[in-house]
Amino acid sequence: MADNDWKSRLGVVYSTDPNFKYEQKMDVEAETLPPARQRLIVRIDRRHRAGKQVTLVEGFTGSSEDLAALAKTLKTKCGVGGTAKDGEIAIQGDLRDKITELLLSMGYNAKRGN
């Protein structure tokens, strides 16, 4: 199925060589920095959420698995739901102070935003 993925090859000039194989470049995830070198910003957001408050943790540099593990830890310690995607963690509710304290105790360089 991957050989017929024509949308990812738009704009590519094709060869008449029958032995030619098109190779795609794979996106490499960033290496996860140690917690002391991470610079996280904890802020609140209400946009596009029907007026509900969400605490966002932004600035995480690393793999999506490590981001998901950090999000799970924060959700468990706060006792609320949330999600981790696009390099940021969204935790339900206004928990800026609690999350900042948790991140600092875990060794992260966290700062409270707005």
Side-chain angles (χ1 to χ4, degrees), residues 1-22:
M1 186 73 180
D3 293 334
N4 291 332
D5 189 16
W6 60 272
K7 290 182 180 180
S8 65
R9 295 181 296 190
L10 289 177
V12 175
V13 178
Y14 292 93
S15 173
T16 57
D17 182 14
N19 297 324
F20 177 76
K21 289 284 187 184
Y22 180 76

Side-chain angles (χ1 to χ4, degrees), residues 99-111:
I99 289 176
T100 304
E101 291 298 319
L102 285 171
L103 289 171
L104 289 173
S105 68
M106 294 168 68
Y108 286 93
N109 183 10
K111 185 171 109 175

Side-chain angles (χ1 to χ4, degrees), residues 5 16 22-23 30 34-35 40 42 46 49 55-56 59-60 67 74 82 84 88 93 97 100 108 111:
D5 189 16
T16 57
Y22 180 76
E23 297 177 9
L40 303 178
V42 181
R46 292 182 191 91
R49 295 179 184 5
T55 303
L56 292 178
F60 185 83
L67 179 69
L74 292 175
E88 67 182 17
D97 297 327
T100 304
Y108 286 93
K111 185 171 109 175

Side-chain angles (χ1 to χ4, degrees), residues 6-114:
W6 60 272
K7 290 182 180 180
S8 65
R9 295 181 296 190
L10 289 177
V12 175
V13 178
Y14 292 93
S15 173
T16 57
D17 182 14
N19 297 324
F20 177 76
K21 289 284 187 184
Y22 180 76
E23 297 177 9
Q24 292 179 318
K25 293 181 182 177
M26 301 303 275
D27 292 335
V28 178
E29 285 191 359
E31 182 180 326
T32 304
L33 294 176
R37 294 190 55 209
Q38 297 275 359
R39 184 159 185 200
L40 303 178
I41 298 174
V42 181
R43 67 181 186 90
I44 193 160
D45 188 32
R46 292 182 191 91
R47 283 182 254 145
H48 308 295
R49 295 179 184 5
K52 308 266 191 213
Q53 295 177 343
V54 174
T55 303
L56 292 178
V57 180
E58 300 174 326
F60 185 83
T61 305
S63 67
S64 58
E65 291 85 20
D66 293 333
L67 179 69
L70 178 62
K72 182 173 181 163
T73 303
L74 292 175
K75 292 187 299 183
T76 302
K77 296 211 181 218
C78 293
V80 295
T83 184
K85 59 182 170 183
D86 299 331
E88 67 182 17
I89 300 170
I91 305 289
Q92 295 174 353
D94 184 5
L95 300 169
R96 290 176 286 185
D97 297 327
K98 186 172 185 178
I99 289 176
T100 304
E101 291 298 319
L102 285 171
L103 289 171
L104 289 173
S105 68
M106 294 168 68
Y108 286 93
N109 183 10
K111 185 171 109 175
R112 186 178 187 264
N114 60 348

